[in-house]
Amino acid sequence: MAKLKRLLLWGGILLIGGILMLGAAANEMMSSILGDNQQTNITEDMLNGLPDWITPEMVQGAIDMMHENGYPASVVLGQMILEGGAGGSELSNPPYYNCLGQKSPSYGENGTVTMQTEEAWGTVTAVFSTFASYKDCMLAWAHKFTMPPYVSHVTICPRDPATGHYDADSFIEAIWRAGYATDPNYVQKVINIMTIYNLYQFNNMTAEDLEDQVTGNGQFTHPCPDMTYQSSYFGEIRPYEQGGHKGHDYAAPVGTPTYAADAGTVTIAGWSDSAGNWVVIDHGNGLVTKYMHHSRIVVVAGQSVRKGQKIGEVGSTGQSTGPHLHFQVEQNGIAVNPDYYL
């Protein structure tokens, strides 16, 4: 009987030890993915989907940027989970909104904050950018790769011939080599995150897939309500255009009226070899709309316009294959999906 009790006791100890070892192994696996110095609130339940901190707006923004410039959605989402500790880091949350670990100066930053961070050589104090929103942080991330030293590394990355998007694994390695992070394991950590959360699936989403998901805020009136049909969509990949299409095209007969989507000030009303007779309206706070290929313009630069005021008539001037209005919306110089505002 005593021997049986001893066996049961040792069996219980071994069982508890095994459980502890499994728990330690799981923690070690997550540490290898996120880095020992990354704060994270990742749980086993989250492995079946995205961390709760990642919002639909973040995913939508990542996909929109991919269609705009080819940067893989999986990479920016993977970096957000890594850099932001899946929402566990102070820097990644309000009021800082720096979900990508971007040091100052950054495009569109609205301030700075000094914090400690881990580099390859140890803990250092660094000045980070702060942003007004996660969207601004993501726009700054995209803008970074149009500038040295990143642009030379990014432009040689292989692209998917079907979509024109950069290969995700090659892209993260390229920006790491350009100096995005000092951690020698940074590339593999992001790849591990993209794999665990199946972030690669977002790289296969098309502009048409997004159309069914986007709900506008109603700020804009339609710039060409009498159109015949919509002939092209934001983000559409076309063989004669690098990157995704930067706006919507509304096919309509020559002479069909076009209207200001919102109140603002006309900054351009004239000729462009590519846009033909075009109008640009500044709505303030970095929001701009562009209207291209008119047959006739009825406003002038410097003029204030009302929402819904006629600004011109549809044509096929400039680089155009037929009568239509190209309508483009930009926020802080970056083209965004017009459906957000319509």
Side-chain angles (χ1 to χ4, degrees):
M1 187 68 176
K3 184 177 180 180
L4 178 60
K5 288 182 178 179
R6 285 196 299 272
L7 288 173
L8 290 173
L9 176 61
W10 280 108
I13 292 172
L14 289 172
L15 177 61
I16 293 171
I19 292 172
L20 291 174
M21 289 176 66
L22 286 173
N27 288 335
E28 183 177 353
M29 180 186 72
M30 291 312 300
S31 293
S32 68
I33 294 169
L34 295 175
D36 294 334
N37 298 308
Q38 292 286 342
Q39 294 181 341
T40 176
N41 59 359
I42 293 177
T43 66
E44 290 184 10
D45 291 338
M46 292 180 184
L47 297 180
N48 295 321
L50 297 179
D52 290 342
W53 174 71
I54 298 292
T55 67
E57 289 76 18
M58 291 176 179
V59 175
Q60 184 77 55
I63 294 172
D64 284 344
M65 284 197 302
M66 176 178 65
H67 286 289
E68 166 62 22
N69 47 41
Y71 305 154
S74 64
V75 170
V76 65
L77 292 171
Q79 285 189 275
M80 288 168 69
I81 294 172
L82 176 60
E83 296 282 355
S89 76
E90 180 182 5
L91 183 65
S92 67
N93 283 289
Y96 305 122
Y97 294 103
N98 189 340
C99 55
L100 286 157
Q102 299 183 88
K103 295 184 177 70
S104 183
S106 296
Y107 175 82
E109 67 179 24
N110 72 341
T112 60
V113 62
T114 301
M115 290 186 175
Q116 287 191 329
T117 186
E118 296 298 324
E119 301 291 357
W121 52 86
T123 303
V124 299
T125 299
V127 179
F128 290 91
S129 299
T130 64
F131 300 96
S133 65
Y134 289 125
K135 179 180 178 180
D136 285 351
C137 180
M138 296 172 75
L139 290 173
W141 178 88
H143 183 266
K144 188 187 302 290
F145 307 131
T146 66
M147 307 291 289
Y150 295 96
V151 63
S152 60
H153 291 264
V154 167
T155 53
I156 62 174
C157 282
R159 289 178 180 255
D160 184 324
T163 64
H165 305 155
Y166 291 105
D167 174 75
D169 292 1
S170 299
F171 186 84
I172 186 60
E173 182 171 1
I175 65 175
W176 173 77
R177 290 187 181 279
Y180 195 98
T182 60
D183 182 352
N185 299 315
Y186 189 84
V187 174
Q188 192 57 52
K189 288 177 181 178
V190 176
I191 290 175
N192 288 347
I193 289 172
M194 291 192 293
T195 302
I196 283 181
Y197 289 104
N198 191 25
L199 300 180
Y200 292 104
Q201 65 179 310
F202 298 114
N203 297 340
N204 298 321
M205 294 191 71
T206 65
E208 288 75 17
D209 293 332
L210 297 179
E211 288 301 318
D212 296 332
Q213 302 177 27
V214 176
T215 301
N217 61 15
Q219 177 179 338
F220 287 171
T221 190
H222 201 289
C224 191
D226 298 322
M227 67 172 180
T228 306
Y229 64 97
Q230 185 166 339
S231 57
S232 185
Y233 294 83
F234 176 85
E236 184 176 329
I237 301 298
R238 303 191 292 189
Y240 50 85
E241 186 175 33
Q242 184 176 6
H245 191 49
K246 292 180 173 60
H248 286 340
D249 287 347
Y250 303 118
V254 172
T256 302
T258 64
Y259 304 95
D262 201 359
T265 301
V266 177
T267 57
I268 297 176
W271 175 261
S272 162
D273 288 342
S274 58
N277 293 316
W278 71 321
V279 175
V280 178
I281 301 176
D282 185 350
H283 304 285
N285 297 317
L287 184 62
V288 170
T289 52
K290 298 180 177 181
Y291 313 75
M292 305 181 188
H293 310 303
H294 288 96
S295 60
R296 188 167 76 97
I297 296 172
V298 298
V299 292
V300 296
Q303 178 180 344
S304 295
V305 292
R306 304 181 310 276
K307 180 177 182 178
Q309 179 176 336
K310 182 178 177 179
I311 60 172
E313 297 175 357
V314 169
S316 187
T317 56
Q319 295 178 3
S320 171
T321 58
H324 74 284
L325 172 70
H326 172 94
F327 177 59
Q328 185 167 320
V329 181
E330 294 184 358
Q331 180 68 55
N332 296 324
I334 305 295
V336 297
N337 193 336
D339 285 344
Y340 286 149
Y341 298 91
L342 290 169

